[in-house]
Structure formats: C-alpha cells, structure tokens
C-alpha cells in the first residue's frame, strides 16, 4: 500500500538516471560540505560530521527513492548552511550571546494531541513570540525585501511538497510564515525517521547521544532572532521535547512545559497516517504494518521517558492540557491555560481567539483507521501506565471528533 502521488512517481522515473549520490554517501556529502564552506567562508567540522550520520543512514534505506534522496540531502545541506549563518552572526556580533531567553513555554506531548493548537493559541498573544518556519530555516535574515522574496520561494517549495504528498494539507498544513516546530532548528532527533523512513544506524547513534548541544544551538538561534527586537516570551513546540525535558530545563532553567494529552488509541492511528503520508515522498513503497510497529515503539518510548522525567521536575513546571477540552471549548480552556503559565489574558486575546482556532473553510477531516496498522487492543495494553495518568486527569470520557 502506498500514498505516493502520480507527481512523485513521474519524478522518480525522471531522476533515477541522474540521482546517484546514495551509492557513495560519504563522497557526496564531502562535496556538499566543501561547496557550502566555500560559499560561507567558514566551517563547522563537528557539526558537518554529525550531519553525515543522517546522510549515511538515508543511503541505507532499502526502499529509498531518487526523489527521497534528493529531498533528504537538500534538507541536510540547508541545515548546515543555516548553522554557518548563525555561527557567523555570533562571531560578528558577540553581544547576541547576552540576549536573555526568559521563561520560555515549551509545548510538547505525543504527536496528534493538539500540540499545534496549543502552540497557535499561546503564540498569538502580543506578549509572546514563536519562531516562524522561514526564520528557523534562514535564521538571521533581517532585510524585509529579501525576507519577502525568500518567503515567496519557500511557499512555492511548500506547494510542490503538497504535490508530492496531497494529504499533507489535511493532516499538517505547511505554513512558511507561521509558527512551526523546533525540529526545523534542532539538527538531530526522531523527526528524521518519522518523516523519511526507518534509519536504524541513525536511531542507534542518536540514542546514546547527549542532546545538550542541540538545545544550546536552539537557544543561540532564538538569541539571533530576538536581537534588536523587543524581547517577548518565546513559545516553542515539538512533540519530542517530551523526552528532553531535563535537558531543556538545564538550558532554559525557567521553562514551563505545556503537555497536551489524548487517548493513545486515537493518537497512534492519526500518527500512523501522518507517517505513511510522509514516507510516501521518500520511499518507493510503504508497509503499513512496518509503520505501525515503528509508531508504537517510538511513541511508547517517548511517553515512558516523559512520565519518568515529570517525576523529577517541579510540579509547577508542567501544565497538563486535555485534547478534548481544548478543542471542544477553547474560549474556556485557553484563558485557563494562560493563567496556568502566568500569562495575561486580555480583551484583545479574547477577540482574536476565534480567528486563531478556526480551520480554513473546506478543509476535510483527517481520516484514518488504526486497524490498518496495529491491533487497537495491543495499543491499549502498551500504554496502560499512560492511560492511568489520563484517567487521573479525567480526560478520556469526552474525546473530541475534530482532528487538529
């Protein structure tokens, strides 16, 4: 079974004779690094060497398509370009490192649990700020004319991605000039296999790695974006922040976590559908049962780590948010959420909320069936400890029908 679009199939046929870098990934990446460093006039050998792990792992994917190789290596290259840009700005303007990132809000939780909605409503406050997608991909670009040109180019690229995977707008719309997940700055993490396919060598390498440096890099990026602008409270979002809460508190000692919750049976089905959609851009075929096993193992590990970490964190640093309450009654729940994180809820926020939570007209609901990927009973059994937490929070009795 595959969700690969006709556009993707045609492109793979066209690209197959010319896309050969996966046959020698080290040589291919070395050429890319040399080009990037020549254009930037600087280098970061350690960062480049760690990115090479992604490139090698991608080349090992058994069903990797020519388009998949092209898209993955283009992403890795762009991340190296952005890293050198940030390094150069800090070297030229060392005062950037003095910018204080105060009391950031970190939205996390299993994927498909309304993390996007929570991020959206929190970042809408005039007192808050979330990094926009284009800012994370091109950190430090200040010229308004250049920014407009870049945003237009990136929007065209996003439109092309939707041709490769037509279901994306229904599941997770790509908005270049709106807040997005921290994974677009963080160089490493589970987003690589989630988006592209199984990458065993990369997953094994990342499992034993200290991610402190990644979050210090995220902080530097926020300092660059904040420099020369009014300081606001940063609101970040990424489901996998759940398993890094201890490191985040080390880098951002006054961070508050907003943990969104939803019934795992619903979460897993939605997540599997998302993974299948993304994998279809990078692989010749996808296997729904393989996706199911990956999703179950990945999300179980993530939530178990989150449950372990929350026992060692100050209770006031975690705000639990039920999916069904936030999605069903945002005009009651959002002011409560603001109060819980110590933010001020204003008349202006109240007036803007309807626009913030509205879905575009004509947007179809996200349809999926867990049984295509996994046995629902196995999911219930696997997530029994987490389900007990949900029962204590009284969240499972009013599951909303709207997919966010």
């Amino acid at each position: 079974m595959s969700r690969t679009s006709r556009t993707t199939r045609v492109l793979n046929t066209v690209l197959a004779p010319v896309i050969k870098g996966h046959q020698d990934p080290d040589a291919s990446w070395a050429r890319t690094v040399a080009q990037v460093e020549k254009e930037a006039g600087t280098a970061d050998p350690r960062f480049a060497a760690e990115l090479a792990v992604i490139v090698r792992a991608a080349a090992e994917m058994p069903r990797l398509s020519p388009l998949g190789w092209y898209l993955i290596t283009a992403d890795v290259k762009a991340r190296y370009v952005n890293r050198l840009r940030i390094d150069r700005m800090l070297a030229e303007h060392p005062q950037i490192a003095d910018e204080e990132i105060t009391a950031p809000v970190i939205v996390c939780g299993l994927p498909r649990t309304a993390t996007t909605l929570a991020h959206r409503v929190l970042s809408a406050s005039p007192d808050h700020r979330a990094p926009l997608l284009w800012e994370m991909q091109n950190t430090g670009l200040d010229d308004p004319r250049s920014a407009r040109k870049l945003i237009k180019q990136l929007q065209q690229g996003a439109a092309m991605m939707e041709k490769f995977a037509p279901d994306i707008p229904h599941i997770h719309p790509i908005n270049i000039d709106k807040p997005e997940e921290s994974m677009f700055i963080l160089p490493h993490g589970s987003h690589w296999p989630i988006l592209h396919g199984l990458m065993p060598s990369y997953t094994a390498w990342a499992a034993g790695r200290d991610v402190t440096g990644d979050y210090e890099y995220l902080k530097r990026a926020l300092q660059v974006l904040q420099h020369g602008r009014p300081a606001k409270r940063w609101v970040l979002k990424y489901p996998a922040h759940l398993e890094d809460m201890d490191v985040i508190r080390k880098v951002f000692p006054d961070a508050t976590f907003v943990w969104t919750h939803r019934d795992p049976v619903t979460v897993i089905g939605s997540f599997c559908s998302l993974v299948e959609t993304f994998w279809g851009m990078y692989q010749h075929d996808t296997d729904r049962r393989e996706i199911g096993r990956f999703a179950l193992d990945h999300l179980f590990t993530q939530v178990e780590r989150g449950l372990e970490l929350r026992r060692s964190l100050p209770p006031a640093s975690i705000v639990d948010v039920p999916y069904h309450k936030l999605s069903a009654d945002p005009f009651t729940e959002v002011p409560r959420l603001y109060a819980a994180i110590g933010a001020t809820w204003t008349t202006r926020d109240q007036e803007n909320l309807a626009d913030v939570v509205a879905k575009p007209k004509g947007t179809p609901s996200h349809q999926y069936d867990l049984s295509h990927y996994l046995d629902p009973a196995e999911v219930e059994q696997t997530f029994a400890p987490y389900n007990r937490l949900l029962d204590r929070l009284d969240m499972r009795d009013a599951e909303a029908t709207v997919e966010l």
Side-chain angles (χ1 to χ4, degrees):
M1 178 65 187
S2 173
R3 294 187 184 180
T4 305
S5 71
R6 183 177 183 276
T7 301
T8 299
R9 292 192 294 271
V10 170
L11 272 173
N12 277 323
T13 300
V14 172
L15 292 172
V18 295
I19 299 293
K20 303 291 185 180
H22 63 285
Q23 296 175 355
D24 190 346
D26 286 330
S28 176
W29 179 238
R31 289 191 295 270
T32 298
V33 168
Q35 175 195 350
V36 169
E37 292 175 351
K38 180 179 180 180
E39 294 175 356
T42 186
D44 193 328
R46 179 175 178 178
F47 196 80
E50 291 196 336
L51 291 178
V53 181
I54 303 168
V55 176
R56 291 190 204 103
E60 296 167 359
M61 291 168 56
R63 295 190 293 269
L64 178 69
S65 66
L67 177 61
W69 173 257
Y70 172 80
L71 292 174
I72 292 171
T73 52
D75 187 355
V76 177
K77 175 184 176 180
R79 288 171 184 267
Y80 190 40
V81 170
N82 201 47
R83 170 70 177 223
L84 296 185
R85 180 187 297 113
I86 291 173
D87 287 349
R88 185 175 63 250
M89 289 198 66
L90 285 163
E92 295 174 352
H93 307 282
Q95 67 272 24
I96 291 176
D98 296 328
E99 292 284 343
E100 294 187 6
I101 308 300
T102 304
V105 178
I106 314 294
V107 179
C108 56
L110 291 180
R112 321 307 294 165
T113 59
T115 53
T116 297
L117 177 59
H119 190 219
R120 189 185 303 153
V121 298
L122 289 171
S123 59
S125 168
D127 295 329
H128 298 166
R129 186 181 176 192
L132 309 180
L133 176 52
W134 75 268
E135 291 179 319
M136 289 186 283
Q137 294 177 323
N138 295 267
T139 310
L141 187 62
D142 293 317
D143 177 59
R145 179 179 295 181
S146 298
R148 287 192 297 270
K149 182 179 179 181
L150 174 65
I151 290 170
K152 184 177 180 179
Q153 291 173 344
L154 293 174
Q155 287 171 333
Q156 292 171 344
M160 182 58 68
M161 292 289 282
E162 292 176 2
K163 293 184 182 296
F164 301 152
D167 289 333
I168 284 180
H170 313 153
I171 303 175
H172 188 91
I174 300 173
N175 297 296
I176 298 300
D177 58 349
K178 292 186 178 180
E180 254 299 348
E181 297 187 353
S182 310
M183 70 176 186
F184 289 99
I185 280 287
L186 291 172
H188 297 286
S190 56
H191 50 275
W192 291 104
I194 288 172
L195 296 178
H196 306 127
L198 297 181
M199 305 170 78
S201 63
Y202 176 77
T203 300
W205 173 82
R209 182 172 171 274
D210 183 357
V211 299
T212 303
D214 292 350
Y215 282 97
E216 290 172 341
Y217 174 48
L218 171 61
K219 180 178 179 179
R220 290 198 295 274
L222 298 180
Q223 289 173 319
V224 169
L225 293 175
Q226 181 172 289
H227 184 64
R229 302 174 177 89
K232 297 185 178 184
R233 190 179 188 183
W234 285 98
V235 182
L236 309 177
K237 173 237 176 180
Y238 178 36
H241 285 323
L242 191 65
E243 54 191 318
D244 295 331
M245 291 190 291
D246 55 340
V247 177
I248 292 171
R249 287 280 290 189
K250 182 165 62 174
V251 177
F252 303 101
D254 52 358
T256 297
F257 299 97
V258 172
W259 185 342
T260 57
H261 299 275
R262 191 182 185 189
D263 187 339
V265 172
T266 305
V267 167
I268 291 280
S270 180
F271 181 65
C272 285
S273 177
L274 174 70
V275 170
E276 183 181 4
T277 298
F278 278 117
W279 282 17
M281 288 190 289
Y282 300 91
Q283 302 181 25
H284 285 298
D285 295 291
T286 55
D287 182 324
R288 282 181 166 177
R289 289 295 165 177
E290 181 179 79
I291 290 171
R293 297 314 313 174
F294 164 75
L296 187 65
D297 293 344
H298 170 69
L299 296 187
F300 173 73
T301 300
Q302 189 175 92
V303 79
E304 282 291 287
R305 176 64 173 161
L307 291 174
E308 175 189 352
L309 290 176
R310 74 179 283 149
R311 289 192 287 268
S312 62
L313 293 173
S317 69
I318 298 179
V319 178
D320 293 299
V321 178
Y323 172 97
H324 73 270
K325 291 183 179 180
L326 181 61
S327 59
D329 189 8
F331 287 91
T332 298
E333 294 305 316
V334 174
R336 290 178 181 173
L337 176 55
Y338 268 60
I341 66 170
T344 301
W345 181 254
T346 67
T347 301
R348 179 179 174 182
D349 293 318
Q350 182 75 20
E351 293 171 347
N352 291 340
L353 183 57
D355 291 334
V356 173
V357 301
K359 295 184 71 174
K361 292 183 179 179
T363 302
S365 61
H366 177 200
Q367 302 295 324
Y368 51 88
D369 185 340
L370 174 60
S371 64
H372 290 163
Y373 309 94
L374 289 162
D375 179 356
E378 181 183 7
V379 177
E380 283 279 5
Q381 182 178 4
T382 300
F383 284 90
Y386 182 54
N387 288 337
R388 288 194 289 271
L389 171 64
L390 298 189
D391 288 337
R392 290 199 300 272
L393 297 173
D394 191 28
M395 298 177 187
R396 306 183 72 207
D397 57 349
E399 177 66 34
T401 59
V402 179
E403 179 69 31
L404 295 167

